[in-house]
Amino acid sequence: MSTAKKEYKKVTTNSLFEMKQRGERIAMLTAYDYSLAKLVDQSGIDVILVGDSASNVMAGHETTLPITLDHMIYHASSVIRAVDRALVVVDLPFGSYQGNAKEALSSSIRIMKESGGHAVKLEGGKEVASTIERIVGSGIPVMGHLGLTPQSIYKFGTYAVRAKEEAEAEQLLADAKALEQAGCFALVLEKIPAKLAKEVSESIAIPTIGIGAGGDVDGQVLVLHDMLGMNTDFSPRFLRRYLDLAAQIPAAIGQYVDDVKRRDFPNDAESY
Ligand code: KIV
């Protein structure tokens, strides 16, 4: 299989499908605000996820459950104003789609209309397939999310690796096929054994994007703040840190505080 990279002026759901067919890996990161989304987009990312992890990262909640549809629309519209190239996918927050397909569709329409996002993402397997059909049927692209689904944390009781047992692995494979059948354009596979993620990726035509799902998936996603090393108290095995901002930012701020206290800042060149 060729792995040639193709330059897309704008990434679409179709580009992602082509990338899987060519064997080109898809790179996805989260963003929740204008300033960082601009840098992420300029760095050549394919997909930006306005994840409901904003609940943890931006608002300091313990879980993703408290974030609301209005909050997600606020974050997504900030991101959209910054992005020229990447496909922007917006999480449907907990409580905005589980009730019924009609509610899910109206939440999705609000996201698309009020934020300008390009697609929505929701968590769950075959139990949400008819909801996905309804959203896709209205012209809104849907990304699925299987494996560790943080909106169900109180059902699982733990953030441990999912689908290690055969029965759950078989169920996950069946769910992936059901989501593809329902019309999803891609699937996130979170924290599942690499062997299972490979089997899922080879069993469906739509791209799989892994987080803690090994290397044999069609793309990877990380939470931006985690890969930039902005916090030290979250260190799962799958996380690679590319910067150490948890040390670098306080060092820079400490230097600024020092400069102000010593009356070194501002100097003549920095004054009018
Ligand atoms: O909300 C989020 O950041 C996510 C990713 C972990 C895939 O769903």
Side-chain angles (χ1 to χ4, degrees):
M1 182 185 289
S2 142
T3 54
K5 188 170 180 251
K6 178 173 163 191
E7 283 312 321
Y8 291 99
K9 250 182 116 178
K10 277 195 188 294
V11 180
T12 65
T13 55
N14 199 41
S15 322
L16 303 184
F17 188 69
E18 288 174 1
M19 287 164 84
K20 171 159 183 154
Q21 286 184 320
R22 276 201 313 279
E24 179 184 340
R25 290 292 194 250
I26 297 162
M28 170 161 137
L29 280 174
T30 60
Y32 319 107
D33 69 280
Y34 175 85
S35 305
L36 283 175
K38 203 167 187 65
L39 296 176
V40 172
D41 189 49
Q42 287 170 349
S43 308
I45 205 78
D46 299 308
V47 185
I48 293 180
L49 173 66
V50 184
D52 59 356
S53 50
S55 178
N56 314 94
V57 177
M58 302 303 283
H61 292 296
E62 211 171 298
T63 72
T64 57
L65 274 64
I67 199 159
T68 67
L69 188 56
D70 285 338
H71 293 145
M72 291 304 298
I73 289 169
Y74 168 77
H75 287 298
S77 57
S78 307
V79 167
I80 279 288
R81 283 191 287 275
V83 170
D84 284 329
R85 179 181 175 274
L87 181 81
V88 178
V89 180
V90 184
D91 261 337
L92 281 164
F94 178 69
S96 73
Y97 64 95
Q98 288 91 346
N100 56 59
K102 195 166 167 232
E103 179 192 39
L105 178 58
S106 68
S107 300
S108 305
I109 289 175
R110 276 201 63 201
I111 286 179
M112 302 298 281
K113 258 184 162 351
E114 296 177 39
S115 78
H118 307 143
V120 298
K121 173 164 88 59
L122 56 79
E123 297 180 5
K126 65 176 184 346
E127 71 282 2
V128 288
S130 58
T131 291
I132 291 168
E133 276 174 22
R134 182 83 182 259
I135 301 171
V136 174
S138 77
I140 301 173
V142 177
M143 179 180 272
H145 185 152
L146 292 172
L148 175 63
T149 46
Q151 291 180 8
S152 304
I153 182 59
Y154 291 115
K155 181 172 135 198
F156 296 142
T158 157
Y159 287 104
V161 177
R162 305 294 314 172
K164 278 162 84 175
E165 307 304 328
E166 201 171 320
E168 196 185 340
E170 273 172 23
Q171 181 62 58
L172 192 141
L173 185 57
D175 282 339
K177 290 177 182 169
L179 294 191
E180 175 180 42
Q181 189 69 33
C184 280
F185 69 91
L187 293 188
V188 166
L189 299 177
E190 180 164 355
K191 229 172 167 186
I192 61 170
K195 191 163 159 277
L196 173 62
K198 179 174 192 288
E199 191 184 350
V200 171
S201 305
E202 288 171 353
S203 305
I204 57 177
I206 57 172
T208 55
I209 316 278
I211 174 164
D216 291 318
V217 282
D218 303 305
Q220 297 291 331
V221 57
L222 285 175
V223 169
L224 179 67
H225 293 62
D226 294 341
M227 61 85 78
L228 294 178
M230 284 190 76
N231 67 49
T232 48
D233 47 4
F234 179 66
S235 292
R237 186 200 296 200
F238 66 75
L239 174 61
R240 186 180 292 181
R241 291 196 174 92
Y242 289 82
L243 282 177
D244 184 14
L245 290 185
Q248 290 164 305
I249 290 176
I253 294 171
Q255 182 65 57
Y256 166 74
V257 171
D258 227 44
D259 291 351
V260 170
K261 303 284 180 195
R262 289 186 297 110
R263 297 169 187 242
D264 175 75
F265 176 80
N267 60 26
D268 287 348
E270 291 158 336
S271 306
Y272 296 98

